[in-house]
Amino acid sequence: AQSVTQLGSHVSVSEGALVLLRCNYSSSVPPYLFWYVQYPNQGLQLLLKYTSAATLVKGINGFEAEFKKSETSFHLTKPSAHMRDAAEYFCAVSPLTGTASKLTFGTGTRLQVTL
Amino acid sequence: NAGVTQTPKFRVLKTGQSMTLLCAQDMNHEYMYWYRQDPGMGLRLIHYSVGEGTTAKGEVPDGYNVSRLKKQNFLLGLESAAPSQTSVYFCASSLDGRFLYGYTFGSGTRLTVV
């Protein structure tokens, strides 16, 4: 079985500060990992994905995430937060192979950006 | 623009009423999903389909039914709505089961059951 745990349901940072959103996964096989962003009253948009190529993955809007197998982590970072980054962020996992037919999502982290 | 379209966007139902939510995708994706999103609980899978004519139960299927008569459409039905089904419903699709590209999501349907 696969699962993801997002540490911290709410994260608040100042504009210009580092953004760090944590995600740890549990999977019996090597996984694919994803970060999605949801802006208010919108659907989820793909930020970035890890599909077993480079461990450091760059996404849209200046976000990146690093796959660390030894720590079973896939934390999302951005060097400098902007007001427009305020949103809810979801980590998701799926296996590379096998018969499972769906992504498993974390419970989400709401990012607040203050002046 | 290609993508996933959900209708309606908003709906208010009375307890016991029925309704159908429609999801349509024009990307020729094989897999389609219905999720509900509730505060603090993330996204929970209701039902999914791995191809035309197929459906399967997800994590929280009770009180819902689905149909996939055409590859591009995935319908979610509530036969007798209950206040516990007040939620935001999202449809998603993926090309296949390999998830190389993740999911494409619709913009959601906000349902209130009173």
Side-chain angles (χ1 to χ4, degrees):
Chain A
Q2 55 193 9
S3 65
V4 288
T5 301
Q6 291 184 241
L7 299 176
S9 58
H10 289 83
V11 171
S12 182
V13 300
S14 300
E15 191 173 34
L18 171 71
V19 175
L20 171 60
L21 305 182
R22 300 177 187 273
C23 174
N24 288 90
Y25 70 90
S26 173
S27 178
S28 57
V29 296
Y32 286 164
L33 290 158
F34 304 83
W35 276 100
Y36 282 84
V37 60
Q38 184 181 31
Y39 298 104
N41 300 314
Q42 295 186 28
L44 281 72
Q45 302 174 32
L46 182 64
L47 260 183
L48 50 78
K49 62 182 184 286
Y50 167 76
T51 56
S52 74
T55 56
L56 181 62
V57 181
K58 295 187 182 300
I60 61 173
N61 301 336
F63 285 92
E64 62 182 37
E66 185 172 10
F67 174 71
K68 292 187 176 180
K69 186 177 179 180
S70 61
E71 299 178 7
T72 61
S73 69
F74 190 57
H75 300 332
L76 182 70
T77 60
K78 181 174 181 177
S80 177
H82 193 278
M83 295 297 289
R84 63 174 174 261
D85 297 325
E88 190 155 21
Y89 293 80
F90 292 92
C91 183
V93 63
S94 78
L96 291 178
T97 59
T99 58
S101 303
K102 58 190 184 296
L103 298 183
T104 301
F105 289 85
T107 54
T109 298
R110 185 168 298 278
L111 175 66
Q112 181 183 17
V113 182
T114 59
L115 290 173
Chain B
N1 292 334
V4 177
T5 303
Q6 290 183 234
T7 54
K9 295 189 182 306
F10 303 94
R11 187 71 186 269
V12 178
L13 284 181
K14 294 182 178 179
T15 297
Q17 286 185 320
S18 64
M19 78 164 293
T20 299
L21 282 67
L22 171 63
C23 177
Q25 54 93 3
D26 58 4
M27 298 170 287
N28 202 35
H29 283 181
E30 288 293 334
Y31 286 42
M32 297 186 75
Y33 311 83
W34 277 106
Y35 285 86
R36 60 177 290 173
Q37 184 180 29
D38 302 291
M41 304 190 76
L43 281 81
R44 293 183 292 169
L45 183 65
I46 305 171
H47 286 280
Y48 65 99
S49 168
V50 299
E52 180 178 316
T54 75
T55 63
K57 293 180 180 180
E59 183 184 354
V60 289
D62 293 343
Y64 305 95
N65 57 76
V66 288
S67 64
R68 183 104 181 263
L69 299 179
K70 294 183 178 180
K71 186 177 183 178
Q72 64 266 34
N73 296 335
F74 195 31
L75 279 63
L76 177 71
L78 287 73
E79 292 183 346
S80 180
S84 60
Q85 294 178 304
T86 293
S87 186
V88 181
Y89 292 85
F90 286 100
C91 178
S93 68
S94 63
L95 181 62
D96 54 30
R98 295 175 297 162
F99 302 114
L100 284 174
Y101 305 103
Y103 287 178
T104 301
F105 280 87
S107 57
T109 295
R110 188 174 295 274
L111 175 66
T112 302
V113 182
V114 298

